[in-house]
Amino acid sequence: LFSHGMIPWPWVATMAFGGVVGPQPLGAVVKLDEDLVQRFGNCLLPEFLAEAQRMPPLSRALLLTGAADCDDKLPDADAPSVKTINPKHLIDELGLGTAERLAAEQGLASDDAVLRAQNSLTPEQCAELRQAVDREWRTAPDSVDGAPDIQLNLDVDKLHELIGVAATNMLFELPVTFANTVHKRESRNDSESGACATSTFGDEEKAIFTALEDRNPEIFVRRYTPEERPWNPFHTDASALTVNVALGNDADFQGGKLLACYSGAVQRIDRTEGEALVHASTLLHGVSRMQSGRRYSLVMFFGMKLMVPLELRFSDRDRAHEATTLVALCARPEVIRQCANILPRGPLEVVGPGLSYVASSGLERLGQLIESVVQRYAAPHLRPSAIDARSLDVDDGSWCWSLRAVLIYVQEAAESHGDGP
């Protein structure tokens, strides 16, 4: 089957850039391009093979076929490289929503979109975090592409335990340093344009300074390998500020290059162990395919974007409607049956673990949690009303994966606020 480029499987995640998390129909056969068959054969999980097939050409070149490792040109003179790909064309082909596209264009135009801080963690602290995720990892659907992540979620107390209070506090100071850089840039721009230096902050700067008040950021350690999580597609983060610490040297593995669009170009960011990168939600970035070894990162998400697209906004009526719809979905026998056929485990296991919380939560609180999930992950397709509509109109069962994701995220959001089951 692989030699002919035809790959059957019962379930795959299909949200590469189009916006819907979900599988192909049960037993579907997806035809791969010949170059993907030759390059990957049977060395990738089906979720990633499907994503590779759907990946736009420039993203595929940068993330999958070696352009990230080449500064000027590949042996094939017609093949693109980091320096020859037009970042505006890359953004165009991704099909981003209006808000995300505006953010990516803003990041592309910025000369100080990232702050780099070497030796933010010691080799011993990096090793402690690597060992922790190797011991206690779990898999969950990624908010970018729906495919599985290998990661360990942490809170501030656990981070204290692993790397110490002083190192944790220093990581919390990095967003402050970055925010000051942004403020100086905006003040300089105001001065050059003749505007008052105390003019009203733009959306990006508002979000960044609001994020500095976040003393309970989302924290996780993530592991990349060629088999488990080989790459991460281009995206902008839902958080206002991101701190990303390399827990190993890029020279210790092949592939796994961090790529970002800023200063008017696609940039490859080569990092050393313990080096932190700080950036805002305007930075379009991705990770190229791992070829060998293991890549580890500590990621901290501070705050949320202030610019909320219309499709992510909730009124009181919306919250009540989405909560009622989610409860009704989970009570429909045909929903449980179809999810049992689509998802890889039994129905109650795979449609939960959020089922118990849905059953016990008050509708008002449930609506608030759904809103936080949809906005946190910039994912309108996770609105229960959108899932319900797709369950009636789409026969391939793709909505089952969205239902599973929203239930998992709702429970995680409840637990993070101390009101989970």
Side-chain angles (χ1 to χ4, degrees):
L1 286 171
F2 279 100
S3 64
H4 291 87
M6 306 293 288
I7 301 179
W9 57 82
W11 54 274
V12 294
T14 62
M15 190 197 80
F17 300 98
V20 177
V21 175
Q24 288 291 299
L26 190 64
V29 175
V30 174
K31 180 172 173 53
L32 297 182
D33 291 345
E34 186 62 31
D35 69 309
L36 290 179
V37 176
Q38 293 177 355
R39 186 175 296 274
F40 298 130
N42 59 357
C43 63
L44 289 179
L45 293 173
E47 303 99 304
F48 294 106
L49 283 169
E51 184 176 300
Q53 176 62 38
R54 289 164 175 79
M55 194 172 286
L58 295 181
S59 292
R60 185 187 291 188
L62 284 168
L63 299 180
L64 305 188
T65 60
D69 300 307
C70 185
D71 287 329
D72 296 312
K73 62 181 181 179
L74 296 173
D76 178 354
D78 295 327
S81 70
V82 170
K83 287 189 176 180
T84 61
I85 283 180
N86 186 322
K88 293 182 179 179
H89 295 165
L90 174 66
I91 292 172
D92 286 342
E93 73 171 15
L94 290 178
L96 303 173
T98 301
E100 190 172 12
R101 181 187 178 90
L102 289 173
E105 290 173 344
Q106 184 176 349
L108 176 62
S110 175
D111 291 328
D112 49 13
V114 301
L115 170 71
R116 301 180 68 167
Q118 293 187 335
N119 302 315
S120 294
L121 293 180
T122 66
E124 293 76 19
Q125 291 163 342
C126 291
E128 190 68 40
L129 291 168
R130 294 195 303 268
Q131 293 165 10
V133 71
D134 286 343
R135 285 193 310 265
E136 306 172 48
W137 64 270
R138 57 163 290 186
T139 183
D142 187 83
S143 60
V144 175
D145 62 2
D149 282 325
I150 304 298
Q151 69 182 48
L152 172 64
N153 295 331
L154 304 173
D155 57 22
V156 175
D157 290 339
K158 183 63 175 178
L159 193 60
H160 285 166
E161 180 184 325
L162 289 170
I163 66 172
V165 174
T168 301
N169 290 342
M170 191 206 68
L171 293 178
F172 269 78
E173 286 302 311
L174 289 174
V176 177
T177 304
F178 180 81
N180 289 334
T181 300
V182 171
H183 183 54
K184 288 178 182 177
R185 179 192 72 200
E186 294 300 323
S187 297
R188 183 174 64 249
N189 291 343
D190 284 343
S191 177
E192 291 173 354
S193 66
C196 176
T198 58
S199 61
T200 304
F201 288 167
D203 282 338
E204 179 194 12
E205 197 171 0
K206 286 180 184 176
I208 288 171
F209 278 91
T210 300
L212 300 183
E213 302 172 7
D214 186 356
R215 307 312 293 173
N216 188 30
E218 182 179 347
I219 308 171
F220 57 88
V221 182
R222 179 169 292 172
R223 184 176 77 197
Y224 289 80
T225 71
E227 302 80 19
E228 298 166 322
R229 165 51 81 169
W231 65 73
N232 205 348
F234 282 105
H235 64 284
T236 60
D237 291 339
S239 58
L241 277 176
T242 298
V243 174
N244 184 318
V245 186
L247 301 182
N249 292 301
D250 280 8
D252 294 340
F253 48 83
Q254 287 187 301
K257 301 299 183 184
L258 178 60
L259 302 175
C261 295
Y262 64 97
S263 294
V266 180
Q267 311 280 353
R268 189 183 69 209
I269 303 174
D270 297 318
R271 297 191 293 171
T272 56
E273 184 178 44
E275 181 176 352
L277 188 80
V278 188
H279 63 83
S281 61
T282 53
L283 187 72
L284 184 72
H285 60 286
V287 177
S288 70
R289 181 174 71 93
M290 290 287 297
Q291 299 175 38
S292 66
R294 291 185 171 189
R295 178 186 189 274
Y296 297 85
S297 295
L298 169 68
V299 179
M300 306 171 73
F301 288 152
F302 290 84
M304 291 290 296
K305 297 177 182 177
L306 288 187
M307 186 167 56
V308 180
L310 184 62
E311 64 269 20
L312 301 182
R313 297 176 188 170
F314 281 67
S315 64
D316 291 342
R317 180 177 294 181
D318 289 335
R319 294 184 197 94
H321 175 61
E322 299 296 350
T324 303
T325 302
L326 183 57
V327 171
L329 271 170
C330 294
R332 279 166 44 192
E334 66 272 21
V335 167
I336 302 299
R337 265 196 314 273
Q338 189 160 1
C339 288
N341 289 331
I342 291 291
L343 301 174
R345 291 181 290 162
L348 290 181
E349 294 174 289
V350 296
V351 179
L355 275 174
S356 59
Y357 185 75
V358 169
S360 62
S361 175
L363 290 179
E364 181 178 357
R365 181 60 181 142
L366 181 57
Q368 294 169 350
L369 290 170
I370 293 168
E371 177 184 23
S372 72
V373 166
V374 169
Q375 293 184 352
R376 180 72 177 176
Y377 297 108
H381 61 278
L382 294 184
R383 283 180 178 264
S385 59
I387 299 170
D388 186 37
R390 282 163 40 218
S391 75
L392 300 174
D393 296 338
V394 180
D395 293 332
D396 64 9
S398 60
W399 52 270
C400 289
W401 285 88
S402 296
L403 178 59
R404 177 180 184 267
V406 75
L407 287 168
I408 290 173
Y409 293 147
V410 160
Q411 176 157 331
E412 289 178 349
E415 291 173 349
S416 71
H417 289 87
D419 61 350

